[in-house]
Every structure is written in structure tokens, then in C-alpha cells.
Amino acid sequence: MRKLLLPSLIIVAASLLVIRIFYLQVINDTFKLKSENNAIKIKYDYPERGYIYDRNGKLLVANQASYDIMVIPRELKNIDTLEFCQLLNITKEDFIKKIAKAKIYSPRLPSVFLPQLNKSEFAAFQEKIRKFEGFYFQKRSLRDYEVDFGANIFGFITQVNEQLIAKNPYYKSGDLIGQQGVEQYYEEILRGIKGVKYFQKDKYNREIGSYKNGKYDTIAVQGEDINLTLDAELQKYGEQLMINKRGGIVAIEPKTGEILALVTAPSYDPGILVGRQRSKNYTMLYHDSIAKPLYDRGLLAEYPPGSPFKILTGLIGLQEGVVDEQTSFMCNHGFSYARGRFMKCHDSGPHQLHNGIYHSCNTYFAQVYMRTINKYKKPAYAVDVWSDHVKSFGLGQFMGYDLPTGKRGNVPTSKTYKRIYPNGGWRSTTIVSNSIGQGEVLMTPIQLANMMATVANEGHYFTPHIIKKIKGENIDPKFKVKHETTIDKKYFKPMISGLFDVYNQGTARSLRVEGIDICGKTGTAENFAKIGGKRVQLEDHSIFVAFAPKDNPKIAIAVLVENGGFGATIAGPIASLMIEKYLRKTITRTDLEKRILERSLQDRYAKLGGLSDVVKLQLKKQDSILKSKKIAPAIKKDTTKQN
């Protein structure tokens, strides 16, 4: 038996090897296709990308035909360089550089020589292409933006680089790929599948027909259309209100977590990143270190949340049982809390939860916070308990939304203070500034908006997301998962009552919209910057959070305007206007609208740098909008002083 084992193994192994060779050489000749690549020409058929619509079916992004001039360096023969350059409006130096770059990539494979020609440019070249052997054109599909807003949401498409080609074999030189926004996140859905055709060539490099009668050819499959959760009119209005300002607006539908608006300012027209001027325009945007138009402040900018954070301070105090609705603290325009330091407050008299919220009393919330920390013997343990409550609102972590960029924000823990105070000695009085959203707490505008959506839902939220529908597919089920906070539902009602009276008798009473019950909270966050090597305090950031209607909320919103001053000055009016625009599709508070559209903060930003090209475009756009609304261009200073 043992004598037969070795011969048997040899026979089996040889048989398997013969079967494999037969399969590769006779049945499956894809390797033959590769080996004959020198005699085969490959042409790709690029599909249209999927269209992008808003939540109401409004078309936002479509496609337009474009043509790339391709070159195969090894096939170049007897080119009249002068005529060629004149035809495509390029210099001889450009021609030489592009050919050299193509040779480095591959002498045998096609490279993009000149991308994104429009129809008229292509027509002129097509008439004489036969004279330029080694060149051919590749039809592609470029984006055609139906709107001039939402650039940060859409992203853009650009040519793949060599690193990505090496990583993903689907892409070839000259292929387009989505970058930033939904174009990047939903790239595989939007791009479709390109078709491939193989052509046999003779020894003179001439096409002589389809290879294997088209056995390996594939048909292009168009990308899937998608509907965003975005309300196009609300997005457009938000970007208009933020012209000549810096910051972000995020609006969310509380019941679903759908993002209704995601505004970053300053922004730009997405159409400028299409066509032959795309590279030049992108360079302008990329190198604008003053306005940073490519920086999505709604998702990336981390700010101290200021007074809106008092909402969480109050809820945690109720949950921990250190105060109730009747607990009262006396405020005398301030509160001495540690080592002679002083927490300023603009109010006076006794404060409970209700009027503490609508008067935004620093003293009240500082006392609530210290009681929360002092409840436990060890400050480190107490801070972690507090931190866990805060994090249950989705703060201090990546939120899991379907956009490719974001920041965690910061919610301090005991580790934070062990690092800051390695020798110990810290206590509730040392870190009390957390109580009013200063200290070590940082939040992004989308986190602020999600916090308000959670309050509107009385203790739960859904992961914010921008996708509403994908043709032929289901959206990610994680967006349907309800996230519960650590705060009992019963504690949200008194908090909501206080937020409602912010508009009725508190810091936002001048911002009421007749007939809409809005719950909101003003905020002002200190703002420091390094100028000339020195730490300088600049104008405070203006912050406002809100949701409406009070019963059955349909929109939650956060507005942050850099260097905007008091919360009710700029951020508050913008929030009221956005809420009315969404719920009514019209504006009755035209006085607020006029004030905000006229308001420019470029004089404040000029302290941080000069006027960039993007800022100059913003100034022109503001004048255009004012004229369309029959408002005379003007810059007015608002002297409202509310927290």
C-alpha cells in the first residue's frame, strides 16, 4: 500500500497541473489576452455619473459631455507641433512637458494629454485629428451643476493620481473620481461601471476588427441616481445669509436625523471646478489661507459651544439629583468661585432652572456643575460620570454620518485633567468653566445641531445623514437606529419649557416669529488667536441653537458665526429666518432678513489677513443679492448686547 502512495500522489498532482494548463490555454484565454496586449487596443466607454436630487426631487447635479485628448507616446509620428499647439491654444513648452510626463507613465499606454475640452474645442480638434497620429479623443462625462450652492456637500470630481491607480485596479490614467462630499462618499454608487471594448491590430498598428468577436467586451452601466436629504431652497437661503461672514449652519430633521442644510462660509460656486479652468480655480481655493473656502466649518471647525452647553449642564444636574426644578441660587452679577477669580454674569437675583435658562445665568449653571462634580468623593470619578452623560448626546466622538470629513470635538475626562495637572490639586472650582461651554469643551456645528435634535426628541437621536434615497438600493440601516441618552425623558420637558421662554421673555425675545413656537438658546464664546506671536482676544463667536415647533419639532438648527459677537446679534436672527423659511417657505421677519443680508464682518476678518480672491467674490455676490431683493447695499453695526 505504501509503495502505491508516492506514485499516486505524483499522478494526481500531474493530472491537476495538466487540467489547470488546459483551462488556462484552451478554455479561459484571459491570460492570452494580456499576453497579446501589444496587438490589442483597448477602448473604454465611460458611463454618466448618477444624478443628484434634493429631498423634494429638485435636480441639483447632472452631467455634460466632455472630451479628453489622449496620447500614446510610442505611436507619435511626424507631428506638426506648431499647428497642434495653435489648435488647442497651448504653448510648445506645455506640449513638451505633457509628452515627457506621458512617457514617464508609459510609452505604450494612453495618457491624458489635455483634459475636459468642451464641445466647441473638441469640434475644432476633431476635424484635424487624422493629422496627429498617436493622439485620439476619449469621451467622458463631467458634472453639470444646476445650482450655484452646496459645493461643500457635493464635493467635486477630479483625475485619479498614480497612488490611487496602484491601490485600485478599476481606475486607469485619466479616469475621474469623486473627491470630498457625497461625490467621494458615494463614489462607487455614482460612478457606474465603465464598459470595455477590445480591438485587434495588425502589424502596422491598424485596427482590423473586434477581438474574438467581442467576447470580452462589456457594456457601460450608468451610475445610480441619489436623492439627498437636503432642502435646496433652505441651503441656498442659508448660504445667502452667511455671505461676508465665516462659520457654519447645520439644520437637522429631529425625527429622522436627516440633514436639511449644511452651510459653510465662505463657500464657492461648484461650477468653477469643471472644465479646463478647474485646476486654476482649485489652486485659487486651495491656497486661500485667509478665507479657507475648502474648509467645511459645519463639520470640521471645533469651537467652545458657549451658553448652549448650559442645556446639558442642567439636564445632567437633574439626572444626578443634585438639583430639581425649584432649586434656587442667588446671582449678584457674578459669582466668586475659586482663588479670588470671578465668573461674570449679566443678571441678578434668585434663579431656578426655568429662568436660569431663559436669562442664561452663569451663576446658576456653575453651581449646578459644581454640585454634580462634588456629589462624588473623587473628582476624577465625578468628571468621568459627567463626561459619559455628555457623550451620550453624540459629543466628543465621530458621529458616523455619510460625509468623508469630520472632527470629534472634545469632551474632557479625568485623563484630560491628569495630563493638565500632573501633580493633582484640581477640583470642581478649577474646571467650572465647563459648565458654561468654555474650558476644555469643544463642539462642531453639526454636533450642536444634533444636541438640539436630541433635546427636541426628549432624549434620543438618529445619526445625522445626507442620503435619503438611492435608486435601486437601500440606504445604510444604521441611520434608522435610535440612540438613547443617559438622561431620563421626564427631565427634558422642564428644559424645553425654559428654552421656549428664551423667545418669550429671555435673550431671544426680539427674534420671535409670529405663529411659530421656537425653542432656542443664545450663546457667546470667547475667541483667541495668535497675531504677531501674541495671544490676542478677538470679537466673540456668535452662537445660536434652536428647534421648532415646540410640539412635534420638524427642524433643529445650530448657527455659529465667527467673530459675530453676542448670540442674539447675528446667529440668532439667522436661526429664526432659517426656521421660518423651512416651515413656511416664505419670510415675514423681513426686518431681520434685511439686517443680516446687509451685515458684513469682513472688516473684523481683515485683522487676520487681507482680502482674498474668494472674499472679493463674496462682496460682489452680496451686492447682487441685495439688489435682487431691492435692498440698498450697506454695512450696519448691531449694538444688541445679549448673551
Side-chain angles (χ1 to χ4, degrees):
M1 194 72 179
R2 290 182 179 178
K3 292 180 179 179
L4 296 175
L5 181 61
L6 182 60
S8 298
L9 289 174
I10 294 172
I11 292 169
V12 170
S15 299
L16 291 173
L17 185 60
V18 169
I19 292 170
R20 179 61 176 166
I21 292 171
F22 177 80
Y23 173 77
L24 291 175
Q25 292 191 351
V26 179
I27 298 174
N28 181 2
D29 54 0
T30 54
F31 283 90
K32 183 182 179 184
L33 177 65
K34 291 181 180 179
S35 69
E36 294 179 351
N37 197 39
N38 289 340
I40 296 171
K41 186 173 184 179
I42 301 173
K43 288 186 178 180
Y44 292 102
D45 183 14
Y46 289 88
E48 285 195 355
R49 288 178 77 86
Y51 283 32
I52 300 177
Y53 300 84
D54 86 337
R55 66 188 297 110
N56 301 309
K58 177 181 172 63
L59 179 61
L60 304 175
V61 186
N63 298 301
Q64 58 180 306
S66 173
Y67 304 88
D68 290 352
I69 303 300
M70 308 294 291
V71 63
I72 301 175
R74 196 180 70 169
E75 298 179 7
L76 293 177
K77 292 179 182 178
N78 304 320
I79 300 295
D80 185 337
T81 308
L82 181 61
E83 182 183 7
F84 185 91
C85 292
Q86 288 177 343
L87 193 62
L88 292 175
N89 194 28
I90 61 173
T91 65
K92 186 175 180 179
E93 289 73 20
D94 286 337
F95 178 90
I96 294 170
K97 286 180 182 178
K98 291 177 184 294
I99 295 298
K101 184 177 179 182
K103 286 180 178 178
I104 291 171
Y105 172 71
S106 172
R108 296 185 299 103
L109 298 177
S111 297
V112 176
F113 179 85
L114 196 63
Q116 302 183 10
L117 273 67
N118 59 34
K119 288 182 179 180
S120 60
E121 292 170 330
F122 166 69
F125 182 76
Q126 186 184 31
E127 289 182 3
K128 299 186 177 182
I129 193 170
R130 66 185 185 281
K131 298 172 63 176
F132 307 117
E133 195 170 345
F135 288 95
Y136 69 96
F137 66 87
Q138 174 69 64
K139 185 178 179 181
R140 299 187 195 272
S141 176
L142 292 183
R143 281 314 203 184
D144 185 16
Y145 295 97
E146 307 300 308
V147 296
D148 63 354
F149 54 83
N152 62 306
I153 298 170
F154 306 141
F156 54 89
I157 58 174
T158 187
Q159 286 187 29
V160 293
N161 55 37
E162 292 181 13
Q163 290 82 3
L164 199 145
I165 293 172
K167 188 185 301 182
N168 190 335
Y170 174 86
Y171 296 101
K172 308 297 179 186
S173 177
D175 283 6
L176 302 175
I177 190 172
Q179 289 290 311
Q180 299 184 11
V182 296
E183 294 280 18
Q184 178 176 334
Y185 194 90
Y186 290 104
E187 161 69 9
E188 292 188 10
I189 290 170
L190 289 168
R191 78 185 181 193
I193 303 172
K194 61 189 174 187
V196 184
K197 291 184 179 181
Y198 298 93
F199 294 91
Q200 187 76 46
K201 296 187 294 183
D202 63 15
K203 63 181 181 180
Y204 300 107
N205 204 35
R206 296 175 301 192
E207 289 183 20
I208 57 175
S210 177
Y211 179 77
K212 295 284 186 180
N213 294 317
K215 179 181 178 180
Y216 299 104
D217 294 354
T218 58
I219 299 173
V221 179
Q222 183 171 345
E224 298 292 352
D225 297 343
I226 64 174
N227 284 73
L228 304 183
T229 60
L230 196 72
D231 183 294
E233 291 304 312
L234 187 67
Q235 178 73 22
K236 177 181 179 181
Y237 190 58
E239 291 195 19
Q240 288 180 349
L241 295 174
M242 288 294 287
I243 287 178
N244 287 319
K245 305 167 189 71
R246 295 181 191 172
I249 305 173
V250 183
I252 295 173
E253 183 179 69
K255 289 182 179 179
T256 61
E258 294 179 353
I259 298 171
L260 303 172
L262 179 59
V263 175
T264 182
S267 189
Y268 58 93
D269 182 344
I272 69 173
L273 294 185
V274 177
R276 290 181 66 178
Q277 297 300 312
R278 192 204 75 83
S279 180
K280 174 185 173 184
N281 290 333
Y282 181 80
T283 301
M284 175 191 73
L285 297 173
Y286 182 81
H287 290 290
D288 188 344
S289 59
I290 299 171
K292 299 180 181 178
L294 293 175
Y295 181 67
D296 193 329
R297 287 168 165 85
L299 302 177
L300 291 170
E302 298 169 301
Y303 306 93
S307 289
F309 195 79
K310 294 172 183 175
I311 298 169
L312 298 189
T313 301
L315 288 171
I316 294 169
L318 293 172
Q319 180 67 32
E320 288 294 314
V322 297
V323 294
D324 57 30
E325 294 176 55
Q326 285 72 45
T327 303
S328 181
F329 297 109
M330 184 62 66
C331 176
N332 186 25
H333 296 290
F335 158 63
S336 181
Y337 68 93
R339 300 173 186 171
R341 295 169 64 191
F342 198 74
M343 178 175 283
K344 294 180 180 179
C345 190
H346 54 272
D347 211 15
S348 62
H351 283 80
Q352 300 81 38
L353 177 69
H354 190 74
N355 66 343
I357 280 288
Y358 71 71
H359 281 155
S360 196
C361 179
N362 289 344
T363 299
Y364 175 84
F365 290 99
Q367 289 280 19
V368 172
Y369 179 79
M370 289 197 299
R371 283 196 177 189
T372 300
I373 301 302
N374 294 337
K375 175 183 176 181
Y376 301 94
K377 291 182 179 179
K378 295 183 178 180
Y381 177 77
V383 165
D384 288 337
V385 170
W386 168 84
S387 179
D388 288 342
H389 283 307
V390 174
K391 289 178 180 177
S392 74
F393 285 77
L395 307 178
Q397 57 198 291
F398 291 116
M399 301 187 69
Y401 48 71
D402 51 342
L403 288 163
T405 189
K407 286 289 183 70
R408 291 176 180 270
N410 188 59
V411 176
T413 65
S414 58
K415 291 182 180 179
T416 306
Y417 295 111
K418 285 177 183 177
R419 186 173 63 252
I420 297 174
Y421 303 102
N423 298 321
W426 61 274
R427 53 184 67 85
S428 64
T429 53
T430 315
I431 59 174
V432 71
S433 53
N434 287 333
S435 65
I436 60 171
Q438 297 287 162
E440 285 68 50
V441 179
L442 294 173
M443 293 169 66
T444 61
I446 194 170
Q447 289 176 326
L448 272 168
N450 190 62
M451 181 191 79
M452 284 308 280
T454 308
V455 175
N457 289 334
E458 299 183 8
H460 71 268
Y461 69 90
F462 296 92
T463 300
H465 53 284
I466 198 73
I467 194 71
K468 189 170 182 68
K469 185 171 68 175
I470 302 172
K471 187 177 180 181
E473 295 188 31
N474 296 319
I475 67 170
D476 195 322
K478 74 177 182 179
F479 299 133
K480 305 286 186 181
V481 176
K482 182 188 289 189
H483 302 277
E484 302 280 357
T485 70
T486 55
I487 309 298
D488 293 342
K489 184 174 181 177
K490 63 183 178 180
Y491 296 124
F492 285 90
K493 291 192 181 298
M495 179 60 68
I496 289 171
S497 177
L499 294 171
F500 179 57
D501 277 341
V502 169
Y503 266 87
N504 293 316
Q505 48 188 320
T507 53
R509 56 189 177 275
S510 65
L511 306 177
R512 284 179 294 180
V513 179
E514 194 66 34
I516 301 179
D517 292 337
I518 305 177
C519 300
K521 183 72 192 74
T522 51
T524 306
E526 292 182 345
N527 174 33
F528 295 89
K530 279 191 175 182
I531 300 178
K534 296 181 179 179
R535 189 169 184 263
V536 179
Q537 184 167 6
L538 304 174
E539 193 78 31
D540 294 338
H541 295 322
S542 178
I543 306 171
F544 200 91
V545 295
F547 65 83
K550 176 176 176 285
D551 302 314
N552 190 26
K554 292 180 172 59
I555 180 173
I557 191 167
V559 181
L560 192 145
V561 181
E562 295 180 7
N563 308 93
F566 297 104
T569 302
I570 296 182
I574 290 175
S576 290
L577 290 167
M578 291 285 284
I579 287 171
E580 185 177 21
K581 182 72 172 178
Y582 181 67
L583 296 179
R584 288 180 173 165
K585 313 302 179 189
T586 189
I587 295 296
T588 60
R589 288 299 307 268
T590 53
D591 58 320
L592 293 181
E593 182 182 63
K594 183 175 183 293
R595 185 207 308 178
I596 296 302
L597 289 175
E598 289 178 340
R599 195 76 167 93
S600 172
L601 299 181
Q602 295 297 355
D603 55 337
R604 296 180 184 179
Y605 303 140
K607 298 175 184 178
L608 303 174
L611 292 179
S612 67
D613 291 335
V614 172
V615 171
K616 292 173 184 175
L617 290 173
Q618 292 271 298
L619 289 167
K620 290 180 180 178
K621 192 169 184 178
Q622 183 193 39
D623 288 345
S624 176
I625 291 170
L626 293 175
K627 288 176 184 176
S628 69
K629 292 182 178 288
K630 298 181 180 178
I631 301 173
I635 297 178
K636 294 184 178 181
K637 291 186 177 179
D638 196 313
T639 56
T640 307
K641 292 189 177 181
Q642 295 173 323
N643 189 29

